[in-house]
């Protein structure tokens, strides 16, 4: 039986987690950071994260995407798509910012066809076509409206 270990480093509450390729784990915190931990075969002494941080980042949700990418939804009403495959550390991680929600982005789900669904406190779900290009200005999306309250959970269904 595997014994648990503690990943310490965030300065505030951890709000979200996502399992990434290559035995890595992403954690998003109220401290305004996303930490990328290598946990495959690691113990508490070995798990040394790299940190994604920028102005306005306050992650509420994370989703692992194909191609070594990570999506984060934030209290600044944006979604960031981080390309973690380009580098082994935070200085080399690139990102694009998707804008459109008018409320906090509270949930994310990758769909089978490579699109991304985002839910928000603005009572909408947006379906983003990430295949259009890496440029955020070109990321087309569809808006699904009609909820009586904020959208707090999404799940991709098969088929």
């Amino acid at each position: 039986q595997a014994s648990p270990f503690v990943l310490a480093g965030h300065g505030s509450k951890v709000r979200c987690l996502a399992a990434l390729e290559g035995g890595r784990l992403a954690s998003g915190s109220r401290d305004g950071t996303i930490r990328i931990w290598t946990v495959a075969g690691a113990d508490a002494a070995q798990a040394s994260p790299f940190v994604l941080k920028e102005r306005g980042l306050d992650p509420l949700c994370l989703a692992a995407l194909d191609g070594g990418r990570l999506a984060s939804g934030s209290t600044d009403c944006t979604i960031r798509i981080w390309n973690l495959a380009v580098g082994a550390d935070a200085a080399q991680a690139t990102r694009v910012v998707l804008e459109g929600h008018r409320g906090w982005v509270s949930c994310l789900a990758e769909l089978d066809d490579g699109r991304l669904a985002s839910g928000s406190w603005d009572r909408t779900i947006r379906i983003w076509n990430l295949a259009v290009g890496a440029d955020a200005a070109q990321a087309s999306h569809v808006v699904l409206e009609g909820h009586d309250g904020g959208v707090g959970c999404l799940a991709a269904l098969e088929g």
Side-chain angles (χ1 to χ4, degrees), residues 43-144:
D43 61 28
Q46 296 172 325
S48 177
F50 71 81
V51 180
L52 304 173
K53 183 175 183 169
E54 67 181 38
R55 184 181 173 101
L57 180 63
D58 188 7
L60 292 173
C61 53
L62 299 171
L65 306 176
D66 286 339
R69 297 176 301 159
L70 174 70
S72 63
S74 184
T75 61
D76 68 356
C77 309
T78 67
I79 300 159
R80 289 172 175 82
I81 308 296
W82 305 87
N83 186 353
L84 303 176
V86 297
D89 62 26
Q92 295 177 327
T94 59
R95 58 112 182 105
V96 295
V97 179
L98 305 177
E99 297 178 325
H101 281 295
R102 294 186 202 135
W104 293 7
V105 179
S106 52
C107 49
L108 299 166
E110 183 179 34
L111 305 179
D112 287 340
D113 58 3
R115 294 180 300 163
L116 178 69
S118 61
S120 170
W121 289 14
D122 67 5
R123 303 179 185 182
T124 68
I125 296 171
R126 292 176 187 258
I127 308 296
W128 303 86
N129 183 0
L130 302 179
V132 170
D135 186 350
Q138 296 178 10
S140 62
H141 66 279
V142 173
V143 181
L144 305 176

